[in-house]
Amino acid sequence: MTEATRHTPGTPCWVSLMVHGLDATQDFYGALFGWEFSPGPQQLGPYVRALIDGKEVAGIGRIPSSRQLPIAWTPYLATDDADVTAETIRSRGGTVGVGPLDAGAAGRLAIATDPGGAVFGIWQRAAHRGTAVYGTHGTPVWNELVTPETSFVGKFYEAVFGYEVEAVVSADFDYLTLHLAGRPVAALHGVGQALPRRGTHWMTHFEVEDTEEAARQVVELGGQVLQPPRDGSSGRLATVADPEGAVFTIVRTASR
């Protein structure tokens, strides 16, 4: 288990989920990942932070009745200035739907949509630094944008966050890895006509000790297995959904 000490601008630094049933969702992820919960900022409604060994991992909030928000895991990308980044997002063809606004003393945030329609957040930290621990069961390990094709939207993320883009050269595989200071931090995966019905979206991967066992638990807890356990370049993974339909990937990384 490793602790995070600093988030370079553009690095995925937090993942958050908005749902209708906050208590039931806490029960699901608490059982699946061993998370405990503490209160978080309430600017967008009731919100809790998930903890492992007292360290913050992710956030879950209740969808306000006045807002139409997707039930989906949303990655937040670090920024030193949420207002400047929000303006850059707009100037590059994206949309800022929420904020920028202060989350109490925790920091400043905005929720945006890229030109392809995928929702993501930006986070300017203050008291809350973002995800504080990685590399153990129940922690986010990777974020990947699922999109029809990568070239157009890749230029957007490169312009907004200054990523170095590395393409996987293949006749039948459209994949871009986003790097900061030579380190891969996220990826864009072009799937063409195989795009799911929910459209372009960011997919969060969570580390698990045993992919088969975690997939079995998902079903026992009222979720679904959408793609059964399989081997991938990053390890043994499966695509699953929680009881409200939020889709995520569980993976036992190759390093385990």
Side-chain angles (χ1 to χ4, degrees):
M1 184 167 63
T2 58
E3 293 187 33
T5 56
R6 183 177 185 275
H7 292 294
T8 303
T11 305
C13 63
W14 188 245
V15 289
S16 188
L17 173 66
M18 302 298 288
V19 296
H20 297 292
L22 183 56
D23 291 341
T25 300
Q26 289 180 76
D27 290 342
F28 173 84
Y29 287 101
L32 180 64
F33 290 145
W35 289 350
E36 297 178 340
F37 298 91
S38 67
Q42 309 292 303
Q43 276 73 11
L44 296 179
Y47 191 84
V48 296
R49 291 175 179 152
L51 311 175
I52 292 178
D53 292 337
K55 299 179 178 67
E56 295 169 343
V57 174
I60 303 174
R62 181 178 296 141
I63 297 176
S65 58
S66 60
R67 292 186 181 273
Q68 296 295 320
L69 295 174
I71 299 175
W73 280 103
T74 300
Y76 282 71
L77 308 177
T79 177
D80 287 336
D81 191 319
D83 295 85
V84 170
T85 301
E87 282 303 313
T88 306
I89 288 168
R90 295 186 186 100
S91 70
R92 296 293 180 170
T95 301
V96 178
V98 177
L101 55 84
D102 290 326
R108 192 160 172 79
L109 68 88
I111 300 173
T113 304
D114 70 26
V119 176
F120 65 98
I122 56 174
W123 178 257
Q124 177 186 335
R125 71 179 190 177
H128 173 55
R129 300 186 306 168
T131 299
V133 60
Y134 296 94
T136 191
H137 181 84
T139 59
V141 67
W142 189 244
N143 287 279
E144 186 172 289
L145 177 68
V146 181
T147 182
E149 61 86 28
T150 64
S151 60
F152 173 68
V153 75
K155 291 181 174 62
F156 166 82
Y157 286 100
E158 185 178 6
V160 173
F161 296 105
Y163 296 123
E164 304 146 16
V165 177
E166 180 179 308
V168 173
V169 180
S170 172
D172 57 357
F173 196 56
D174 180 12
Y175 198 88
L176 298 180
T177 305
L178 306 179
H179 295 250
L180 289 170
R183 181 175 68 91
V185 297
L188 312 181
H189 186 188
V191 297
Q193 297 300 314
L195 188 70
R197 288 179 58 186
R198 63 186 179 279
T200 302
H201 62 279
W202 278 96
M203 173 74 78
T204 297
H205 295 59
F206 290 96
E207 181 96 13
V208 293
E209 292 177 353
D210 185 312
T211 306
E212 274 77 8
E213 174 62 18
R216 183 188 65 78
Q217 283 187 296
V218 165
V219 175
E220 285 185 353
L221 294 166
Q224 301 178 65
V225 174
L226 305 179
Q227 294 183 38
R230 59 201 186 277
D231 291 325
S233 59
S234 60
R236 186 79 173 162
L237 69 161
T239 306
V240 300
D242 70 19
E244 286 207 24
V247 179
F248 58 101
T249 294
I250 50 176
V251 57
R252 182 183 188 275
T253 62
S255 61
R256 275 187 172 270

